[in-house]
mmCIF file of all heavy atoms in Angstrom:
data_model
loop_
_atom_site.group_PDB
_atom_site.id
_atom_site.type_symbol
_atom_site.label_atom_id
_atom_site.label_comp_id
_atom_site.label_asym_id
_atom_site.label_seq_id
_atom_site.Cartn_x
_atom_site.Cartn_y
_atom_site.Cartn_z
ATOM 1 N N GLU A 1399 3.898 -20.625 4.084
ATOM 2 C CA GLU A 1399 3.864 -20.987 5.456
ATOM 3 C C GLU A 1399 3.690 -19.830 6.325
ATOM 4 O O GLU A 1399 2.901 -19.718 7.303
ATOM 5 C CB GLU A 1399 5.284 -21.742 5.878
ATOM 6 C CG GLU A 1399 5.307 -23.229 5.373
ATOM 7 C CD GLU A 1399 5.788 -23.202 3.952
ATOM 8 O OE1 GLU A 1399 6.202 -22.259 3.276
ATOM 9 O OE2 GLU A 1399 5.811 -24.260 3.352
ATOM 10 N N GLU A 1400 4.518 -18.686 6.063
ATOM 11 C CA GLU A 1400 4.322 -17.501 6.891
ATOM 12 C C GLU A 1400 2.968 -16.821 6.645
ATOM 13 O O GLU A 1400 2.571 -16.409 7.790
ATOM 14 C CB GLU A 1400 5.527 -16.508 6.419
ATOM 15 C CG GLU A 1400 6.925 -16.959 6.890
ATOM 16 C CD GLU A 1400 7.966 -16.080 6.279
ATOM 17 O OE1 GLU A 1400 8.084 -15.945 5.000
ATOM 18 O OE2 GLU A 1400 8.713 -15.482 7.025
ATOM 19 N N MET A 1401 2.537 -16.851 5.432
ATOM 20 C CA MET A 1401 1.192 -16.214 5.352
ATOM 21 C C MET A 1401 0.112 -16.996 5.963
ATOM 22 O O MET A 1401 -0.777 -16.268 6.571
ATOM 23 C CB MET A 1401 0.843 -16.112 3.805
ATOM 24 C CG MET A 1401 1.811 -15.174 3.038
ATOM 25 S SD MET A 1401 1.484 -15.016 1.277
ATOM 26 C CE MET A 1401 2.251 -16.412 0.626
ATOM 27 N N CYS A 1402 0.159 -18.250 6.040
ATOM 28 C CA CYS A 1402 -0.806 -19.017 6.680
ATOM 29 C C CYS A 1402 -0.781 -18.885 8.169
ATOM 30 O O CYS A 1402 -1.771 -18.790 8.919
ATOM 31 C CB CYS A 1402 -0.748 -20.586 6.254
ATOM 32 S SG CYS A 1402 -1.268 -20.942 4.749
ATOM 33 N N ARG A 1403 0.554 -18.853 8.719
ATOM 34 C CA ARG A 1403 0.625 -18.546 10.113
ATOM 35 C C ARG A 1403 0.192 -17.216 10.557
ATOM 36 O O ARG A 1403 -0.496 -17.003 11.613
ATOM 37 C CB ARG A 1403 2.116 -18.754 10.444
ATOM 38 C CG ARG A 1403 2.453 -18.678 11.982
ATOM 39 C CD ARG A 1403 3.857 -18.927 12.278
ATOM 40 N NE ARG A 1403 4.305 -20.238 11.941
ATOM 41 C CZ ARG A 1403 5.211 -20.554 11.058
ATOM 42 N NH1 ARG A 1403 5.793 -19.577 10.357
ATOM 43 N NH2 ARG A 1403 5.480 -21.755 10.568
ATOM 44 N N ASP A 1404 0.561 -16.161 9.755
ATOM 45 C CA ASP A 1404 0.160 -14.806 10.116
ATOM 46 C C ASP A 1404 -1.432 -14.637 10.010
ATOM 47 O O ASP A 1404 -1.999 -13.964 10.845
ATOM 48 C CB ASP A 1404 0.822 -13.850 9.082
ATOM 49 C CG ASP A 1404 2.217 -13.754 9.371
ATOM 50 O OD1 ASP A 1404 2.927 -14.122 10.415
ATOM 51 O OD2 ASP A 1404 2.929 -13.026 8.515
ATOM 52 N N ALA A 1405 -2.046 -15.290 9.033
ATOM 53 C CA ALA A 1405 -3.437 -15.273 9.017
ATOM 54 C C ALA A 1405 -4.128 -15.741 10.115
ATOM 55 O O ALA A 1405 -5.082 -15.224 10.707
ATOM 56 C CB ALA A 1405 -3.996 -15.973 7.706
ATOM 57 N N TRP A 1406 -3.701 -16.940 10.683
ATOM 58 C CA TRP A 1406 -4.189 -17.572 11.815
ATOM 59 C C TRP A 1406 -3.980 -16.666 13.061
ATOM 60 O O TRP A 1406 -4.945 -16.574 13.967
ATOM 61 C CB TRP A 1406 -3.827 -18.956 11.967
ATOM 62 C CG TRP A 1406 -4.291 -19.705 13.190
ATOM 63 C CD1 TRP A 1406 -3.598 -20.194 14.190
ATOM 64 C CD2 TRP A 1406 -5.657 -20.049 13.325
ATOM 65 N NE1 TRP A 1406 -4.449 -20.840 15.077
ATOM 66 C CE2 TRP A 1406 -5.701 -20.806 14.592
ATOM 67 C CE3 TRP A 1406 -6.777 -19.861 12.647
ATOM 68 C CZ2 TRP A 1406 -6.907 -21.297 15.057
ATOM 69 C CZ3 TRP A 1406 -8.002 -20.368 13.103
ATOM 70 C CH2 TRP A 1406 -8.093 -21.084 14.284
ATOM 71 N N ASN A 1407 -2.782 -16.121 13.253
ATOM 72 C CA ASN A 1407 -2.548 -15.317 14.392
ATOM 73 C C ASN A 1407 -3.351 -14.141 14.366
ATOM 74 O O ASN A 1407 -3.770 -13.737 15.462
ATOM 75 C CB ASN A 1407 -0.995 -14.998 14.426
ATOM 76 C CG ASN A 1407 -0.201 -16.155 14.862
ATOM 77 O OD1 ASN A 1407 -0.623 -17.045 15.624
ATOM 78 N ND2 ASN A 1407 1.035 -16.227 14.413
ATOM 79 N N PHE A 1408 -3.624 -13.504 13.171
ATOM 80 C CA PHE A 1408 -4.598 -12.392 13.164
ATOM 81 C C PHE A 1408 -5.987 -12.688 13.515
ATOM 82 O O PHE A 1408 -6.513 -11.938 14.329
ATOM 83 C CB PHE A 1408 -4.551 -11.791 11.751
ATOM 84 C CG PHE A 1408 -5.452 -10.681 11.509
ATOM 85 C CD1 PHE A 1408 -5.090 -9.350 11.850
ATOM 86 C CD2 PHE A 1408 -6.759 -10.859 10.947
ATOM 87 C CE1 PHE A 1408 -6.012 -8.401 11.692
ATOM 88 C CE2 PHE A 1408 -7.562 -9.840 10.811
ATOM 89 C CZ PHE A 1408 -7.163 -8.541 11.173
ATOM 90 N N VAL A 1409 -6.434 -13.798 13.121
ATOM 91 C CA VAL A 1409 -7.828 -14.150 13.636
ATOM 92 C C VAL A 1409 -7.856 -14.581 15.035
ATOM 93 O O VAL A 1409 -8.836 -14.201 15.667
ATOM 94 C CB VAL A 1409 -8.256 -15.497 12.691
ATOM 95 C CG1 VAL A 1409 -9.581 -16.017 13.159
ATOM 96 C CG2 VAL A 1409 -8.419 -15.019 11.204
#
Side-chain angles (χ1 to χ4, degrees):
E1399 290 81 4
E1400 290 171 300
M1401 291 184 276
C1402 287
R1403 187 176 298 114
D1404 289 349
W1406 182 240
N1407 285 333
F1408 176 79
V1409 170

